[in-house]
Amino acid sequence: MLNNTFKKIQQTLLGVLVLTAMGCSEQSTVVDSNDKNTPAKKKPNVVIFYVDDLGFGDLSSYGMTATQTPNVDELAAQGIRFTDAHSSAATCTPSRYSLLTGQYAFRNNAAILPGDAPLIIDYTKPTLPKMMKKAGYKTAVVGKWHLGLGRGTVDWNKDVKPGPLELGFDYSFLMPATGDRVPTVYLENHKVVNLDPNDPIVISYEDRIGERPVGTESPELLKQTADLQHSATIVNGISRIGWMQGGKSAEWIDEDFPQVFTDKAIDFIQQSKDEPFLLFFPFHDIHVPRVPNEMFAGKSGMGPRGDAILQMDWMTGRIVDELKKQGIYDNTLIIYSSDNGPVMDDGYDDQAEEMRGAHDPSGGFRGGKYSAYEAGTRVPMIVTYPDGMVAAGVSDALISHIDLYRTLATFTGVELAENEAVDSENVLAALLDSNADARDEMLEESFTISLRSGKWKYIEPFNGVTPDWLANKTAIENGLMTVPQLFDMSNDVKEQVNIADKYPEKVAELQQRIDDIRSLK
């Protein structure tokens, strides 16, 4: 049974739906339909914090004891802390694709992209930010992108598009791909920031270009040594994937990320405080290369990875503090989570594994980033809505980030088209009530497909070709993924005993269900 807090949000949503039915979806206020004398209230803002590579056990509110994350923990204390929430995929590009489209990444063959990849989301189709604009929201994305830009080979010296603006964001300030890939520049809306036209940028992922030193030849210039994949052009003492020529005045400094990105997010909040807004804030932290600001370097006791967790927590707190300063925190729905599970050694020698001590970033679950096992997608997720709208507590509801699209459509009163967000489910009840249920089944993407259904988890056999750089990060090389795997999550949540041979009918049933989901157009 829904509690009083959820009934209250239902009343507010009814006001939104009434406005929508009247053709007023662009209005920025809602009215309590039960009280005609209640003054109009601005629609709730929505802030999505999307951390990179943060594991289920990487927050002190989720059991980490090696260091503390007080700002995120405060959100957890005020809202709902989910224990069975998942990114849609075990790597970043697919999970971001699904969050913004409401569709599984395999429907568009979305995989980890190089730094010069074209935009993989069709900008002529519906997206989460476009949907929010229908509801009258101002929209922005600030942080790591990694969904491709342009239509092919990008000329970084001209307007770079299509990109976030064409997908429905009113404002964007981006790291174009990842911190370990060139170009190592910021992109604001369509333009590279601080670019000197007399020093044009050229990027190559095929052949060496330019005169910058590279990691394989000049290791004495490096802050961290790296594997061969990450040992091309050196920028700011870090060797990257790919080669970059020109653009010296536009280069970023890794240690400046926390101030630069939070400053841009705060600017957007200040400019948008009088209208409803969506802020999508995908962090670079705690992705490699981990080069924390001096405020955090050496403070965690776990090396740069732990320091990056502290940095991420500080950034979260700074943005939340701005919401409070502007008097809009109590009217803001905050969703905090991670794009996939944790990884320790991901190409750079930053001693993440050596210095973690007893800390378990996977929080007791098997696997991590890239993996088909639970820790590949089971991530921290916290939801707060301080204006008395959330029944706080701990929730074991099964939720996927792919559900945020349809859930926010319900939250803002937008009716979706028949072919929009086809894989997304409305889990608003669970987002606002820690006692409410959500999904009965959930698909997880990695190098293969997994399916959670009731107490069962099934992992489809994988017989494809895996790149060398990925093979040593998963269990494929041990042959574990070449046969069906079935686990009873009710008594084997750590996925230790494969019981596929004992339940062939269940294996066939779950494989058929995966096939059915694949066939949905």
Side-chain angles (χ1 to χ4, degrees):
M1 180 178 294
L2 294 173
N3 61 22
N4 290 334
T5 57
F6 191 60
K7 289 180 180 178
K8 185 176 178 182
I9 192 63
Q10 279 188 313
Q11 293 171 0
T12 304
L13 288 171
L14 181 58
V16 177
L17 295 171
V18 169
L19 287 172
T20 304
M22 294 172 61
C24 302
S25 61
E26 296 301 318
Q27 295 293 322
S28 62
T29 58
V30 295
V31 179
D32 187 336
S33 60
N34 288 351
D35 186 354
K36 295 182 179 180
N37 296 317
T38 300
K41 179 180 179 181
K42 185 169 77 74
K43 289 181 180 180
N45 308 305
V46 177
V47 175
I48 301 174
F49 290 110
Y50 215 42
V51 191
D52 201 307
D53 294 352
L54 187 75
F56 186 85
D58 275 332
L59 298 171
S60 42
S61 49
Y62 277 77
M64 179 176 67
T65 58
T67 191
Q68 298 296 303
T69 51
N71 294 297
V72 177
D73 294 349
E74 183 178 354
L75 295 177
Q78 294 178 357
I80 301 175
R81 181 172 65 85
F82 291 87
T83 62
D84 204 359
H86 294 254
S87 58
S88 64
T91 51
C92 56
T93 296
S95 58
R96 292 157 196 266
Y97 176 91
S98 294
L99 187 152
L100 294 177
T101 65
Q103 296 187 5
Y104 293 121
F106 69 74
R107 300 200 189 283
N108 195 34
N109 297 315
I112 301 174
L113 296 177
D116 59 351
L119 180 66
I120 62 168
I121 299 177
D122 186 344
Y123 65 91
T124 68
K125 299 292 180 63
T127 64
L128 173 62
K130 286 182 182 178
M131 179 273 291
M132 296 294 285
K133 285 174 69 67
K134 285 183 179 179
Y137 279 68
K138 188 176 180 181
T139 58
V141 54
V142 176
K144 173 190 165 182
W145 184 238
H146 207 192
L147 287 163
L149 292 160
R151 293 184 172 87
T153 303
V154 174
D155 185 344
W156 298 95
N157 309 287
K158 299 179 180 178
D159 282 3
V160 179
K161 58 183 181 181
L165 302 192
E166 286 67 36
L167 295 179
F169 288 107
D170 295 308
Y171 174 75
S172 70
F173 185 90
L174 307 177
M175 171 185 291
T178 61
D180 57 348
R181 289 172 171 82
V182 297
T184 52
V185 298
Y186 300 115
L187 187 73
E188 188 165 29
N189 296 324
H190 290 140
K191 297 185 180 298
V192 171
V193 177
N194 295 328
L195 179 62
D196 180 356
N198 296 314
D199 185 28
I201 296 175
V202 182
I203 299 299
S204 174
Y205 275 78
E206 300 296 331
D207 302 303
R208 180 174 176 175
I209 59 173
E211 299 180 352
R212 283 183 177 85
V214 299
T216 52
E217 298 173 354
S218 303
E220 73 281 0
L221 299 178
L222 297 176
K223 298 174 182 177
Q224 302 170 5
T225 56
D227 61 19
L228 287 178
Q229 184 194 21
H230 295 81
S231 290
T233 293
I234 297 175
V235 178
N236 187 38
I238 300 292
S239 55
R240 321 279 171 162
I241 303 173
W243 291 270
M244 176 174 167
Q245 173 182 310
K248 188 69 178 177
S249 63
E251 289 178 3
W252 68 46
I253 297 174
D254 303 67
E255 292 88 344
D256 291 346
F257 289 161
Q259 287 92 349
V260 170
F261 288 126
T262 52
D263 282 352
K264 291 297 180 179
I266 286 170
D267 287 346
F268 174 75
I269 291 170
Q270 291 174 346
Q271 295 168 16
S272 310
K273 62 182 180 180
D274 295 326
E275 55 188 312
F277 63 79
L278 164 71
L279 171 61
F280 178 41
F281 192 83
F283 291 78
H284 170 257
D285 287 327
I286 54 178
H287 194 282
V288 296
R290 301 161 186 140
V291 192
N293 185 274
E294 63 180 358
M295 291 189 293
F296 313 102
K299 300 297 174 59
S300 70
M302 293 192 293
R305 185 178 185 275
D307 301 340
I309 292 175
L310 298 182
Q311 180 168 281
M312 172 279 302
D313 182 71
W314 178 86
M315 295 170 71
T316 303
R318 191 162 178 240
I319 293 173
V320 170
D321 286 347
E322 187 63 30
L323 295 171
K324 294 177 179 177
K325 179 181 177 181
Q326 297 301 329
I328 56 177
Y329 175 72
D330 286 345
N331 194 39
T332 300
L333 175 72
I334 297 175
I335 302 169
Y336 173 98
S337 198
S338 175
D339 66 348
N340 49 247
V343 62
M344 305 304 283
D345 178 2
D346 209 14
Y348 293 91
D349 184 14
D350 61 5
Q351 295 187 300
E353 183 62 40
E354 295 87 340
M355 297 190 70
R356 74 182 177 95
H359 174 58
D360 178 9
S362 296
F365 296 101
R366 185 176 181 179
K369 182 178 181 179
Y370 309 112
S371 174
Y373 297 118
E374 276 295 280
T377 64
R378 192 184 291 225
V379 290
M381 181 169 161
I382 297 164
V383 172
T384 67
Y385 189 3
D387 193 17
M389 294 295 191
V390 164
V394 178
S395 171
D396 62 358
L398 183 64
I399 289 178
S400 170
H401 295 160
I402 205 169
D403 298 329
L404 295 182
Y405 194 132
R406 189 170 295 274
T407 299
L408 289 176
T410 303
F411 184 70
T412 56
V414 176
E415 184 176 351
L416 300 183
E418 184 177 353
N419 62 345
E420 185 174 356
V422 294
D423 298 309
S424 185
E425 293 190 10
N426 173 23
V427 295
L428 183 59
L431 241 59
L432 300 175
D433 186 342
S434 60
N435 297 307
D437 293 327
R439 282 177 169 265
D440 295 319
E441 70 172 18
M442 181 189 69
L443 187 146
E444 302 168 84
E445 294 191 70
S446 56
F447 49 86
T448 187
I449 299 293
S450 307
L451 184 70
R452 289 275 304 278
S453 181
K455 71 175 186 176
W456 302 103
K457 176 169 177 179
Y458 169 66
I459 302 177
E460 183 180 52
F462 176 81
N463 296 299
V465 177
T466 304
D468 292 341
W469 65 267
L470 177 57
N472 65 357
K473 302 176 189 297
T474 66
I476 298 176
E477 70 275 17
N478 295 327
L480 297 178
M481 295 298 169
T482 61
V483 298
Q485 295 185 77
L486 181 69
F487 302 98
D488 182 346
M489 301 294 282
S490 66
N491 58 34
D492 185 20
V493 73
K494 294 186 178 182
E495 301 167 284
Q496 298 298 303
V497 182
N498 179 10
I499 54 176
D501 290 344
K502 293 183 178 179
Y503 298 93
E505 294 88 357
K506 180 58 67 174
V507 167
E509 173 191 331
L510 297 178
Q511 180 62 62
Q512 183 60 54
R513 181 61 186 138
I514 290 176
D515 294 341
D516 291 343
I517 293 172
R518 275 202 186 97
S519 66
L520 177 67
K521 302 298 182 183

